[in-house]
Amino acid sequence: MGQAISRRTFIRGGIAAAAGLAASSIPGVAAAAAPQAEIQLATLLDISKCVGCEACVEACNEVNADKYPQPKKPFPKMYPARVPVEDWSAKQDVTDRLTPYNWLFIQHAIVELNGEETELTIPRRCMHCVNPPCVKLCPWGAARQLKNGISRIDPDLCLGGSKCKNVCPWNIPQRQTGVGLYLDILPSFAGNGVMYKCDRCYSRVAQGELPACIEACPEEVQTIGPRDEIIRKAHALAKETNGYIYGEKENGGTNTIYVSPVPFEALNKAIEKGKGKPHLNSVKDTMAQANNLTAAMVFAPVAGIAAAVGKFVKLAKKNK
Ligand code: SF4
Ligand code: SF4
Ligand code: SF4
């Protein structure tokens, strides 16, 4: 139990220090992780350790249940009708892909490892990119990046237009219709819901606790810590195991670093890909592309206005 408490308080490090524990001895926490929420934190996922038990998926669902959408029905009719209704409210038990009600799932890959056919399992969720296009290109300023490297979508500001999903190289955010700000401002003309994804347990992390999926994992697949420390650990692990790294350079660098015993090309071929099931391809830096930067600049002033409108609507609702 003592260890569980120590793991929960990894960022402030207070209890760990009081217990005389070095941060490096705490499972799930990298050596220099004691630390402040102001530094960019990354996670390291050692794929060779994952047994696919889904304890992380269950933990994610449990701690985030209060944040899941509670849509109002019937849904307003949309004009133009090209914005499709996406309703997952009757399929909340789906756990084999990303949905607004499932922000982490396990991908399965049958690959050849040391001359034998082996199944590897890969936890998948938002990569928390260092320079996230979902944040930089959200027209309404609803997606934000925190100083500790977490990117999150504010459900009170999101209109569900799905720009974040379209610009995300892995199409991570997932829409639920019938919820959010669009119902209050332009129910038939704006957005069509709210986008949902892993927020890397930002409120737990702010309180010095570990993300729930890291805490729940019986195999200690994930480690969290300052990004440079995590990168060093990933390289050391890859060297020791003749492994391969994903996430260090993808999309210009992410705060989710995978180490695999087989090349990611092999994993990418073997996993099921498609809607809500992200690939493991190599990815160019989206934000380095000039046309996207132009779009970001065009959207920037609109984002401020939308955020102000959102705050006003929220305040007006509170004062009703
Ligand atoms: S809890 Fe750990 S071992 Fe189980 S599926 Fe998740 S990451 Fe893999
Ligand atoms: S993986 Fe996609 S949703 Fe997550 S931070 Fe990067 S761009 Fe945004
Ligand atoms: S960090 Fe939190 S929100 Fe993200 S997958 Fe893990 S438990 Fe879910």
Side-chain angles (χ1 to χ4, degrees):
M1 190 65 199
Q3 185 173 76
I5 293 170
S6 299
R7 290 180 68 185
R8 281 179 149 264
T9 54
F10 83 111
I11 287 181
R12 286 182 189 144
I15 290 179
L21 290 169
S24 57
S25 69
I26 301 167
V29 183
Q36 337 324 324
E38 296 297 299
I39 53 170
Q40 186 143 206
L41 298 172
T43 49
L44 168 62
L45 291 94
D46 182 351
I47 292 174
S48 69
K49 283 185 173 176
C50 180
V51 295
C53 67
E54 298 198 357
C56 53
V57 179
E58 272 172 47
C60 180
N61 279 316
E62 221 174 277
V63 303
N64 290 308
D66 290 347
K67 299 180 198 162
Y68 289 162
Q70 293 183 327
K72 286 182 194 147
K73 293 184 188 176
F75 301 137
K77 199 165 163 32
M78 294 302 291
Y79 303 99
R82 67 181 162 77
V83 186
V85 164
E86 286 184 75
D87 182 15
W88 286 92
S89 58
K91 297 175 280 183
Q92 295 187 30
D93 54 354
V94 170
T95 54
D96 66 350
R97 57 161 284 172
L98 299 173
T99 80
Y101 299 86
N102 195 57
W103 304 348
L104 165 68
F105 81 108
I106 304 298
Q107 267 177 334
H108 296 256
I110 309 279
V111 289
E112 199 178 297
L113 180 59
N114 304 326
E116 276 180 32
E117 208 171 68
T118 308
E119 182 177 18
L120 293 177
T121 45
I122 312 147
R124 298 303 303 277
R125 54 158 169 78
C126 170
M127 301 286 286
H128 296 282
C129 303
V130 171
N131 192 14
C134 60
V135 171
K136 301 290 163 72
L137 300 177
C138 170
W140 313 111
R144 304 278 171 84
Q145 187 182 36
L146 311 186
K147 285 188 178 143
N148 59 12
I150 291 173
S151 73
R152 70 172 284 257
I153 298 167
D154 186 336
D156 291 330
L157 296 181
C158 178
L159 292 169
S162 145
K163 180 81 180 174
C164 53
K165 183 181 182 179
N166 299 338
V167 298
C168 169
W170 296 275
N171 304 123
I172 298 287
Q174 302 288 317
R175 175 165 55 203
Q176 171 63 46
T177 298
V179 63
L181 190 58
Y182 88 110
L183 295 173
D184 294 312
I185 51 175
L186 286 169
S188 291
F189 299 101
N192 204 352
V194 169
M195 307 302 293
Y196 292 89
K197 70 169 192 72
C198 157
D199 59 16
R200 216 176 66 188
C201 289
Y202 76 98
S203 43
R204 289 172 63 94
V205 169
Q207 288 166 31
E209 296 178 11
L210 279 173
C213 54
I214 299 186
E215 188 176 273
C217 176
E219 305 296 327
E220 291 165 20
V221 167
Q222 295 195 63
T223 310
I224 188 167
R227 189 170 193 271
D228 51 358
E229 172 86 7
I230 287 294
I231 298 284
R232 270 199 298 279
K233 282 185 76 125
H235 279 276
L237 179 62
K239 194 170 171 197
E240 185 192 321
T241 59
N242 282 328
Y244 302 83
I245 295 177
Y246 187 82
E248 182 186 6
K249 303 264 162 55
E250 276 62 34
N251 199 26
T254 78
N255 283 317
T256 303
I257 314 293
Y258 290 95
V259 175
S260 162
V262 300
F264 281 91
E265 292 80 7
L267 280 183
N268 190 47
K269 264 191 206 147
I271 55 174
E272 198 185 319
K273 298 172 284 291
K275 288 183 178 173
K277 299 184 178 183
H279 62 79
L280 282 165
N281 276 327
S282 60
V283 172
K284 284 197 187 132
D285 186 352
T286 311
M287 292 309 297
Q289 291 167 29
N291 57 344
N292 283 331
L293 284 174
T294 311
M297 281 185 274
V298 169
F299 282 132
V302 186
I305 296 166
V309 171
K311 276 187 191 130
F312 174 77
V313 171
K314 214 173 142 191
L315 201 69
K317 273 169 112 185
K318 225 188 221 170
N319 294 335
K320 258 187 197 170

